Amino acid sequence: MELQTYNQLWTLLKLGSPRLSALFLAASLSLLGAAAMLVYPLIAQELIGSMSNDQGGSGYVILIAGTVMIGIVAIGAANLLLAKIGHDVSAKLRSAVLDRLLRLPMSTADSLKTGESLSRIMSDGDSLSSLVTSQSVGFVNGALMLAGSIAILFWLDMPLTLVLLGSLMVSSMAIGPAIWKMERLARDQQEQSAGLSGLLVNVLSELRLVKAFVAEERELERCRTRIWALRDSSNDMAYLRVLLESGVTFAVVLALLVILIYGGVRVGSGQLSSGTLTAFVLYIYNVVGPFGQIAGFLSGIQSAKGASTRLSTILNHNIEHSAGDIRADKGLSITFDKIDFAYPGTSPILIKEMSLTILPNTTTALVGLSGSGKSTILALLQRLYQPCQGTITYGGRPINEYSLASWRSLLGVVAQDCPVMPGTIRENVAYGVTGYCTDRDIWAALAAAKLADFVSLLPNGIDTVVAERGINLSGGQKQRLSIARVFIRDPSILLLDEATSSLDSRTEQEIYDSLRNLMAHRTNVVVAHRLSTVINADQIAFIDKGMICGVGTHQELMDNLPEYRELANKQLLRT
């Protein structure tokens, strides 16, 4: 399991593909800064010796100042470059995860939580980019500085070096267990954050529902539970970080005291010069500092391992089956041949042995009680889901053999919930259209959908920004906007999924005036809520419990299908 986690981490780091030339430059600058930090204590040793002999030390002071300045500038430049590399890695990882999320089959996407996916995109990418840039280079830089400092310390005085390392080893024994515990705490904190994000997305996106049912206190309590859980997890992580920082501080103080006491005794006995003792004190920070960098790297690995596991879970999902490169032509017949379907993870069969032929340039209505599977049929036609058994063909060829993009380009969908995307009216009308749409094209589509008069009265016209989820538009206006979107797309096959069921009778009639223009000379598949809207369909398929009970015109079904006749009579249709 541990090896698999590291493999996932390595795969994601390669996916982030940091520029090796930039990493090399950053590492070189870091090494230059480290070298400067290694050299200046030796110069300080010479300065102390020179002053002890009553010789001038101004040259050494200037040299120390110049060396330290070079180190500071080099390290600062390296950190800035590493920050830019890290942001590039984050952007690439986020793009890769978003690309996979957008291309997931609906059967997989349905199982994911929006807020948690958002957290994966925003937070987990940062953990990996930090590891591959600042923490990795810091680890290499720290290891080299640590090795260099220890080598110089042994050269200066072996007994004092052994005492220094012994005191550091004693103090670091308390730090080691905390570093390994950080992986579990980091994973818990990230999971709590993702859970809170998911809950907030759901609550805030349905704020009207919350207010309508006076559920503010209930949702606040649910969110507070998550918030406090995240607080507790963050506090645990904070305690651990304080422990690590305190351990490093303790190591510095202990090493400093030991060196000052033991070194002072040796200076007093003449076994050690004051300049060498000064160099040792300065080198303490060059030894302890790398310990912190190495600890940070090990801590970063623990956080990145948790992030890599979650990101890999998303990236390992299969994308939608796009089949070959066969392009779908217009004006062919659609055939459902003995289709069975159940949603993934559920046992009941929703569609059972469905067979139906839809001729080109005709209107087929799907009617039946709620839950009978009408909208699912449209989802299968869009290839959002795959049938469990049977085949859907277009022009005699299974639709899965057509490229996914060319197949869906034939379809235009007007849904019941009339989704609206963030942006302007112009952007919503032209949504999904390849190529450039002129203002004339936009206005023509709005006019065909009978929305042009309303848009012309807006201060910014087609450049008016639509509020989130279209809350500044009425239900009828959002529906007309959806119709305009399909007009400009000019599809060969039109899918209407109870497009007017939530509208009043007058608005419904106005929408159907627009739809009649849209449906002309196209193959139309209509899921109908009210039978009055589909009486004139070329054929009506009555669906009950996932099975087609009868197919025919309205009058044929009234004469021959009791279930249809009962539904029609309940809706007060005259026979």
Side-chain angles (χ1 to χ4, degrees):
M1 183 65 180
E2 190 74 9
L3 179 60
Q4 180 183 2
T5 302
Y6 280 112
N7 287 337
Q8 292 172 341
L9 178 58
W10 176 246
T11 300
L12 289 173
L13 293 180
K14 290 192 295 184
L15 183 62
S17 60
R19 291 175 296 160
L20 295 181
S21 58
L23 274 177
F24 178 77
L25 177 58
S28 299
L29 290 170
S30 294
L31 290 176
L32 176 60
M37 296 299 106
L38 285 173
V39 168
Y40 92 88
L42 295 177
I43 303 174
Q45 178 188 17
E46 296 298 325
L47 172 62
I48 298 299
S50 174
M51 295 177 65
S52 300
N53 297 327
D54 295 327
Q55 298 176 359
S58 58
Y60 289 117
V61 172
I62 294 174
L63 190 56
I64 290 174
T67 303
V68 172
M69 184 59 66
I70 290 174
I72 291 174
V73 171
I75 292 174
N79 289 338
L80 178 60
L81 186 56
L82 286 172
K84 291 183 177 180
I85 297 172
H87 294 155
D88 287 343
V89 171
S90 289
K92 291 176 182 177
L93 288 174
R94 285 170 179 156
S95 296
V97 175
L98 179 59
D99 179 75
R100 183 54 58 100
L101 287 171
L102 291 175
R103 298 181 190 278
L104 290 177
M106 287 305 301
S107 56
T108 302
D110 289 342
S111 66
L112 301 178
K113 297 179 180 179
T114 303
E116 292 186 6
S117 298
L118 179 63
S119 178
R120 301 293 171 258
I121 294 174
M122 298 305 297
S123 301
D124 290 344
D126 285 338
S127 297
L128 292 172
S129 68
S130 177
L131 176 68
V132 79
T133 54
S134 58
Q135 291 172 345
S136 293
V137 174
F139 171 76
V140 174
N141 184 31
L144 292 175
M145 179 175 284
L146 181 61
S149 297
I150 292 175
I152 293 174
L153 289 174
F154 271 114
W155 175 70
L156 289 174
D157 189 87
M158 182 177 293
L160 199 58
T161 302
L162 292 175
V163 171
L164 171 63
L165 294 179
S167 63
L168 289 177
M169 289 182 63
V170 170
S171 59
S172 63
M173 290 176 63
I175 301 176
I179 294 175
W180 300 112
K181 187 179 179 182
M182 185 165 284
E183 178 186 6
R184 181 182 61 81
L185 291 179
R187 182 184 294 115
D188 182 62
Q189 184 182 34
Q190 290 161 342
E191 291 294 340
Q192 294 292 348
S193 178
L196 177 60
S197 297
L199 181 58
L200 290 175
V201 167
N202 292 334
V203 171
L204 295 178
S205 62
E206 299 296 340
L207 193 56
R208 291 175 180 239
L209 176 65
V210 173
K211 291 181 177 296
F213 284 83
V214 198
E216 290 92 342
E217 288 299 324
R218 176 180 180 276
E219 296 301 340
L220 181 59
E221 187 60 33
R222 280 210 304 164
C223 291
R224 276 176 176 163
T225 301
R226 291 277 191 172
I227 289 171
W228 291 119
L230 177 59
R231 181 209 62 175
D232 293 340
S233 179
S234 300
N235 282 341
D236 291 341
M237 182 66 78
Y239 295 149
L240 193 60
R241 287 200 178 100
V242 168
L243 177 61
L244 290 173
E245 293 170 1
S246 300
V248 172
T249 303
F250 174 73
V252 173
V253 173
L254 178 62
L256 187 60
L257 288 174
V258 170
I259 291 302
L260 287 176
I261 294 172
Y262 180 61
V265 171
R266 298 194 66 201
V267 170
S269 64
Q271 296 176 332
L272 189 71
S273 69
S274 58
T276 300
L277 179 59
T278 301
F280 254 89
V281 172
L282 294 176
Y283 271 117
I284 288 176
Y285 294 97
N286 282 354
V287 172
V288 175
F291 267 116
Q293 290 176 310
I294 294 172
F297 174 73
L298 296 176
S299 171
I301 285 182
Q302 305 312 311
S303 297
K305 282 166 59 180
S308 66
T309 299
R310 289 184 296 274
L311 290 178
S312 294
T313 300
I314 294 176
L315 293 172
N316 288 338
H317 284 305
N318 294 323
I319 63 174
E320 284 183 301
H321 179 63
S322 59
D325 57 358
I326 301 175
R327 292 192 59 81
D329 297 323
K330 295 182 177 182
L332 302 178
S333 61
I334 302 169
T335 301
F336 292 80
D337 184 18
K338 297 180 179 179
I339 297 296
D340 285 356
F341 175 76
Y343 283 104
T346 61
S347 53
I349 300 296
L350 189 59
I351 303 295
K352 304 174 185 177
E353 297 186 357
M354 173 189 168
S355 295
L356 178 68
T357 297
I358 300 172
L359 298 177
N361 300 322
T362 63
T363 296
T364 297
L366 306 177
V367 302
L369 299 177
S370 297
S372 59
K374 304 184 295 296
S375 296
T376 301
I377 293 172
L378 298 191
L380 292 173
L381 195 54
Q382 296 174 71
R383 289 169 60 181
L384 298 178
Y385 302 92
Q386 296 298 320
C388 301
Q389 289 186 358
T391 307
I392 304 174
T393 62
Y394 180 67
R397 184 188 296 273
I399 61 174
N400 282 348
E401 294 184 9
Y402 295 104
S403 70
L404 191 59
S406 70
W407 171 248
R408 288 181 178 166
S409 68
L410 293 180
L411 307 178
V413 181
V414 181
Q416 178 181 359
D417 55 358
C418 42
V420 176
M421 298 299 290
T424 63
I425 290 178
R426 178 202 301 273
E427 292 167 340
N428 268 276
V429 172
Y431 187 76
V433 176
T434 57
Y436 177 72
C437 293
T438 65
D439 286 5
R440 179 177 295 180
D441 296 331
I442 301 294
W443 283 109
L446 291 171
K450 301 186 183 303
L451 191 61
D453 291 342
F454 166 74
V455 175
S456 65
L457 297 177
L458 298 175
N460 297 317
I462 58 176
D463 292 315
T464 299
V465 176
V466 179
E468 185 177 7
R469 303 189 311 280
I471 60 174
N472 57 342
L473 299 176
S474 68
Q477 289 164 348
K478 286 192 288 186
Q479 199 64 273
R480 289 188 182 95
L481 190 60
S482 298
I483 294 171
R485 183 186 298 150
V486 177
F487 261 116
I488 205 167
R489 184 179 178 87
D490 191 25
S492 172
I493 302 169
L494 182 62
L495 309 180
L496 303 178
D497 189 3
E498 298 193 288
T500 62
S501 63
S502 60
L503 303 177
D504 60 82
S505 299
R506 178 179 176 181
T507 304
E508 179 185 36
Q509 187 59 48
E510 293 174 352
I511 294 297
Y512 259 100
D513 289 341
S514 302
L515 287 176
R516 272 191 287 271
N517 296 330
L518 181 60
M519 295 166 68
H521 310 297
R522 305 181 199 274
T523 302
N524 307 294
V525 184
V526 183
V527 172
H529 177 71
R530 298 185 180 97
L531 294 181
S532 59
T533 60
V534 294
I535 288 178
N536 297 321
D538 296 290
Q539 65 175 355
I540 299 173
F542 183 80
I543 303 172
D544 185 28
K545 298 179 181 178
M547 301 182 67
I548 294 182
C549 300
V551 179
T553 64
H554 167 68
Q555 192 58 52
E556 289 171 344
L557 293 180
M558 289 291 292
D559 293 339
N560 302 314
L561 190 64
E563 295 90 344
Y564 181 85
R565 185 165 54 249
E566 180 183 358
L567 179 64
N569 290 334
K570 284 182 178 180
Q571 295 192 13
L572 302 179
L573 291 175
R574 296 180 180 275
T575 60

